[in-house]
Amino acid sequence: KAGVTQTPRYLIKTRGQQVTLSCSPISGHRSVSWYQQTPGQGLQFLFEYFSETQRNKGNFPGRFSGRQFSNSRSEMNVSTLELGDSALYLCASSWVNGDTQYFGPGTRLTVL
Amino acid sequence: ELKVEQNPLFLSMQEGKNYTIYCNYSTTSDRLYWYRQDPGKSLESLFVLLSNGAVKQEGRLMASLDTKARLSTLHITAAVHDLSATYFCAVDMTTDSWGKLQFGAGTQVVVTP
């Protein structure tokens, strides 16, 4: 069974730009969660989607948004990028709530 | 707010010796996860512990959960170099978690001869 895939793997943007990251979950998984990982703050939850609905959101500004499509693929968008948004963005999928989350390889975003 | 504390944050291990990583969490939960992360890589699921007293073992790693003490341990037996990585524990709330895992800060493990 194919794992979670994320594209692109690496991105370099400048301040003020916006970026869209994509995540394809494991086949059959309907829950997709997003996390930001930085050396200073560690792993922080961004949001979770299930059946195209955002069910949970972490403590991030409104510049961070996401969506999920009917095939469970998910995208997250960051607008008006700031230097502090430089991070590894990880997507994880699971079959149902409380099931083990399986993580993708991540997208490394660098904001200059 | 759920808080998850791991200790130690850094662990230098000698090959062949045994070590333990501790994970404490602040509120009631009976689902705890252990993940491993190699440098520059994503998180690999190691164990999920679902009830008080749960014990899981895989190779040289053994994880246990005490929900009354809000404590999980990851025990490493006879450490080998391949176990060098960062280990994270993560907890979710039993209700209303909706995909949110609260992670500990991670324990960086370095195994030397």
Side-chain angles (χ1 to χ4, degrees), chain A residues 78-104:
Chain A
V78 188
S79 62
T80 319
L81 285 166
E82 301 177 359
L83 295 178
D85 297 333
S86 294
L88 179 66
Y89 289 89
L90 292 164
C91 161
S93 76
S94 64
W95 187 55
V96 293
N97 186 43
D99 191 20
T100 298
Q101 292 186 22
Y102 295 92
F103 284 79

Side-chain angles (χ1 to χ4, degrees), chain A residues 6 9-10 31 33 35 37 43-45 48 55-58 88 90 97-106 108, chain B residues 31 33 35 37 40-45 47-48 50 88 92-105:
Chain A
Q6 292 185 246
R9 294 292 311 279
Y10 302 92
S31 172
S33 296
Y35 295 85
Q37 186 177 27
L43 281 151
Q44 294 185 287
F45 172 79
E48 188 261 2
R55 297 192 300 184
N56 204 352
K57 191 177 191 304
L88 179 66
L90 292 164
N97 186 43
D99 191 20
T100 298
Q101 292 186 22
Y102 295 92
F103 284 79
R108 173 78 60 187
Chain B
R31 285 200 296 263
Y33 308 84
Y35 287 89
Q37 186 176 39
K41 304 289 186 181
S42 187
L43 278 75
E44 174 191 355
S45 175
F47 302 109
V48 53
L50 298 176
F88 293 93
D92 68 7
M93 302 297 290
T94 302
T95 57
D96 299 331
S97 63
W98 304 130
K100 177 181 179 179
L101 292 180
Q102 189 76 35
F103 281 86

Side-chain angles (χ1 to χ4, degrees), chain B residues 12-71:
Chain B
S12 178
M13 299 185 181
Q14 284 189 322
E15 281 189 335
K17 293 192 175 180
N18 303 333
Y19 298 88
T20 301
I21 299 170
Y22 298 89
C23 175
N24 289 91
Y25 53 97
S26 60
T27 60
T28 301
S29 174
D30 53 16
R31 285 200 296 263
L32 189 135
Y33 308 84
W34 284 97
Y35 287 89
R36 167 184 170 144
Q37 186 176 39
D38 292 297
K41 304 289 186 181
S42 187
L43 278 75
E44 174 191 355
S45 175
L46 294 174
F47 302 109
V48 53
L49 303 168
L50 298 176
S51 60
N52 187 42
V55 178
K56 294 277 185 77
Q57 182 164 7
E58 180 75 32
R60 300 175 187 275
L61 302 178
M62 183 175 72
S64 64
L65 178 62
D66 181 345
T67 58
K68 294 178 182 176
R70 298 176 187 166
L71 171 69

